[in-house]
Amino acid sequence: MKQFKIAIVGATGLVGRSVMKVLEERQLPIESYGLFASPKSAGTVFSISGKSYTVEELTENSFDRGFDFAIFSAGGETAKKYAPIAVAKGCIVIDNSSYFRMHDDVPLVVPEVNFEDALHHHGIIANPNCSTIQAMLPLKALDDKYHIKRVVYSTYQAVSGAGKDALYDLENIHGSVPLKKFPYPIYNNCLPQIDVFMDNGYTKEEMKMIHETRKILHKPDLKITATTVRVPVKNSHSESINVELEKNFEMEDLLYTLKSFPNLVLQNDTSSSLYPMAIHANGRDEVFVGRVRRDDSVSSGVNLWVVADNIRKGAASNAVQIMERLINNQC
Ligand code: A2P
């Protein structure tokens, strides 16, 4: 069996570290790794599957060593400059930034939902936004059976999604040192702003959820609105998703539809207060759904509470799963 060479760009970040952990757990046919970050991290040593690897400064020559795949988690500017170089050197790039996501020739992929799109790549495959990824599993399950008509997203997003500096702000409970990431304290607060504001009054994060959902589900005209909020939770995003359906449903069938979808776990028993929670989703690769109830304000509607580890399923694990499926396809 072929052994693969993998480059990890942004290896020192929260997502990059998680990528290394997930790769170690999954035991794929990997011969060696190359770890890359900014010059300030060069020389840092990480161990993967018992072997030590030294972080190198990312340069235009970084991809000259015959890597098969490069997983990028180093932001949009780095992806914009270096992903095309990696592709030109023969790598398949899986990029976690938003830079390529809406490009027509770049597939945007959640493996359980639209893996087939990944097979039509031209060198770059985009990993969707963390808050989009977890919503896709229950929405795809419902769309296949009942056809989704309209979606209302309200998110409760963890601080880890904003990177290392954001976690530092969460620990700043007395406000005694200057904030590094957020415009206001996140400790003991909720910020109804994730990313910058657009001309239409939505944030970029909200518009990402709207556009990415349409692209992944292949429903360019789907009616969607979103409010995304940063909450003082360290890790794992929670989302309230209100869905209007074209077809009528029996609740029992709908629950079965959700439960049967790959990597979607139904936690839905109000009699024992069983519902998804961030503290239980941490460290897991599945998406959890619960609080499933009929929305009586429309003819066929349902409310869902959806939780997942935003660093794992929302970023690192999703990227590794894409790579794993491509590897299995080539072997
Ligand atoms: P570094 O740690 O050397 O700054 P996070 O989102 O958790 O802050 O992580 C961002 C990741 O992207 C880090 O690994 C960071 O490396 C890396 N990164 C940021 N800018 C660059 C760049 N210009 N070139 C290479 N890696 C970068």
Side-chain angles (χ1 to χ4, degrees):
M1 191 193 232
K2 178 175 158 70
Q3 296 287 310
F4 292 82
K5 286 185 174 179
I6 315 294
I8 302 174
V9 178
T12 51
L14 291 180
V15 175
R17 285 167 195 253
S18 184
V19 165
M20 291 189 272
K21 191 158 185 281
V22 174
L23 284 166
E24 196 168 36
E25 290 167 10
R26 292 202 169 235
Q27 301 199 330
L28 303 175
I30 294 171
E31 176 187 311
S32 62
Y33 295 97
L35 308 185
F36 302 97
S38 78
K40 76 167 196 268
S41 305
T44 311
V45 178
F46 287 103
S47 159
I48 313 178
S49 304
K51 265 174 95 174
S52 293
Y53 294 91
T54 303
V55 175
E56 300 165 57
E57 175 186 353
L58 181 67
T59 70
E60 294 183 7
N61 302 322
S62 295
F63 305 99
D64 291 352
R65 306 207 306 253
F67 293 115
D68 300 287
F69 290 92
I71 299 182
F72 275 63
S73 315
E77 285 307 309
T78 305
K80 178 184 173 187
K81 178 168 177 194
Y82 291 99
I85 297 174
V87 172
K89 299 279 166 68
C91 270
I92 297 174
V93 169
I94 302 169
D95 179 36
N96 267 304
S97 83
S98 62
Y99 185 76
F100 293 105
R101 286 184 195 148
M102 296 312 297
H103 289 205
D104 282 342
D105 58 345
V106 174
L108 183 64
V109 176
V110 179
E112 296 88 342
V113 174
N114 65 332
F115 175 70
E116 309 69 42
D117 291 352
L119 299 173
H120 304 293
H121 71 82
H122 301 283
I124 301 175
I125 298 165
N127 218 31
N129 183 268
C130 44
S131 44
T132 311
I133 289 177
Q134 69 186 69
M136 288 305 92
L137 279 70
L139 288 185
K140 174 69 174 165
L142 296 182
D143 192 46
D144 283 349
K145 180 124 196 233
Y146 305 106
H147 299 162
I148 291 173
K149 202 164 147 187
R150 178 170 182 259
V151 177
V152 182
Y153 288 128
S154 308
T155 73
Y156 304 71
Q157 293 183 222
V159 173
S160 60
K164 287 177 290 194
D165 287 350
L167 285 171
Y168 173 91
D169 285 354
L170 181 62
E171 303 294 333
N172 186 4
I173 61 174
H174 301 298
S176 48
V177 285
L179 296 167
K180 280 193 173 180
K181 180 76 187 180
F182 296 118
Y184 301 100
I186 183 63
Y187 175 74
N188 204 21
N189 202 7
C190 294
L191 302 176
Q193 176 185 358
I194 300 184
D195 212 327
V196 295
F197 283 106
M198 317 289 286
D199 288 343
N200 64 359
Y202 282 69
T203 62
K204 204 168 170 189
E205 181 85 354
E206 289 157 354
M207 294 314 296
K208 280 179 194 168
M209 284 194 83
I210 292 168
H211 293 310
E212 292 178 19
T213 297
R214 290 177 178 148
K215 180 167 175 173
I216 295 164
L217 295 179
H218 301 153
K219 291 174 87 89
D221 301 320
L222 184 62
K223 291 192 167 99
I224 315 174
T225 189
T227 303
T228 60
V229 179
R230 189 76 68 192
V231 296
V233 168
K234 222 174 192 176
N235 197 57
S236 288
H237 291 347
S238 304
E239 299 179 353
S240 158
I241 309 182
N242 174 266
V243 194
E244 196 177 341
L245 303 164
E246 278 175 19
K247 296 186 182 172
N248 289 326
F249 65 91
E250 294 298 329
M251 185 51 89
E252 211 171 305
D253 291 339
L254 186 139
L255 291 171
Y256 182 77
T257 301
L258 291 172
K259 202 163 72 176
S260 310
F261 198 81
N263 293 334
L264 187 59
V265 179
L266 184 66
Q267 295 180 323
N268 192 55
D269 182 4
T270 48
S271 69
S272 61
S273 291
L274 176 69
Y275 37 71
M277 284 189 288
I279 53 170
H280 293 155
N282 285 337
R284 302 283 296 267
D285 289 333
E286 304 95 325
V287 173
F288 301 88
V289 59
R291 295 294 323 279
V292 184
R293 61 211 190 278
R294 195 175 280 278
D295 172 4
D296 285 322
S297 69
V298 291
S299 63
S300 180
V302 65
N303 288 309
L304 312 173
W305 178 250
V306 179
V307 181
D309 185 324
N310 55 298
I311 296 292
R312 285 187 67 110
K313 183 55 184 164
S317 307
N318 198 73
V320 173
Q321 285 165 345
I322 293 170
M323 190 179 82
E324 188 171 10
R325 296 274 299 260
L326 288 172
I327 286 176
N328 290 339
N329 241 57
Q330 287 172 26
C331 294

